[in-house]
Amino acid sequence: MREIVLFGEYLLRLTPPGNKKIMQAENLEMHWAGSEANIAVSLSLFGKNVRYITSLPSNTIAQLGITQLHRYGVPTTVIEKEKSRVGVYYYESGVGARPGRVTYDRDYSAFSMLQDGEINWKEIFAIASWFHWSGITPALNENLVKVCLSALVVAKENGIMISADFNFRSTLWQYGKHSSEIMPKLLEYCDVILADVDASKLYFDIVPDENNLVESTCSLLKEKLPNVKYIAMTMRYQKSASSNEYVGYLWNDGKIVTSAVYNIDDIAERIGTGDAFMAGLIFGLNEKQSLQEVIEYATACGVMKHCILGDVNIASKEEVDLIIKQKGSGRIIR
């Protein structure tokens, strides 16, 4: 059966327990993370055939991370790098008026050392139906821009559906190139994109109508990316770090559908909600659901992730369906 292929860096996340700040912490909790890995796990739990492509050192820490992926049924293709390390990020949870904070420690990671030509994309895509990447990868260095471009060219030649999350990370673009110089030429290969208003402005220098942000942003993106078929967005109205309103949108062929609006209080974890949404989007489109069904499912995946600690939305399809049925009420199942 055909595979959904996902490519990105697999990271170790270290977080102070109990909503502490790092300067207060005497120990740190370990979680495994990475946008594309998060999506791969969700899709595997939903019953989809996936393959995760990354690069890691050959050591015990990396093996622990791979074992975590295999636990959730995610096959891996790993390019091993000697004299390298696992990328790390530190996360302080946001609470109330205090925002969450990410600190990256990714220099000299195995993934950052990947070179164009080290991954046999023709072999990988021979049994693939879908390819997903994100803006995090080309933000790391110019070599990874070349790796992404090679993957996209081969995927397009093989008639594979291509999706991307804009995923702008300001602290990662540090190698002398602005994101607007890199991202447009990569995104033009995509059929499906998960966009946001701010990143759209940065990548494409567009000026949407502030009174009609979603529709105008989608229209302007379609002008810049004529090959794109689906544009998804989420909007978050933040009352505090612990209480948000959340809604999803999906554009296709000039039409926009909107999900139910969810009020999410007592948030356990915001990290990974976009990845959960993206997994739901890919799943719905693969299942050939209606546009309305796709956006409801994707949004419910994002809502569910707010209730789960760690980066990954370890929810079953049945649990996501229940979110939709209960409209996020969280009634006890007996």
Side-chain angles (χ1 to χ4, degrees), residues 107-119:
D107 291 346
Y108 308 107
S109 70
F111 188 82
S112 71
M113 296 180 182
L114 266 178
Q115 302 290 316
D116 192 23
E118 291 185 311
I119 301 174

Side-chain angles (χ1 to χ4, degrees), residues 190-203:
C190 292
D191 303 286
V192 182
I193 55 175
L194 174 53
D196 66 85
V197 173
D198 291 338
S200 299
K201 292 176 183 177
L202 281 168
Y203 293 165

Side-chain angles (χ1 to χ4, degrees), residues 242-258:
S242 311
S243 180
N244 292 185
E245 187 177 272
Y246 187 77
V247 61
Y249 302 90
L250 181 59
W251 177 98
N252 171 250
D253 198 22
K255 176 185 178 183
I256 291 180
V257 292
T258 306

Side-chain angles (χ1 to χ4, degrees), residues 41 91 102 108-109 113 133 154 205 230 234 291:
V41 170
Y91 176 62
V102 169
Y108 308 107
S109 70
M113 296 180 182
W133 63 285
V154 177
D205 194 29
Y230 301 93
T234 61
L291 290 182

Side-chain angles (χ1 to χ4, degrees), residues 187-188 190 220-229 251:
L187 289 166
E188 67 184 22
C190 292
L220 291 168
L221 284 174
K222 176 61 177 177
E223 291 177 10
K224 298 289 186 178
L225 301 169
N227 293 325
V228 77
K229 299 178 180 68
W251 177 98

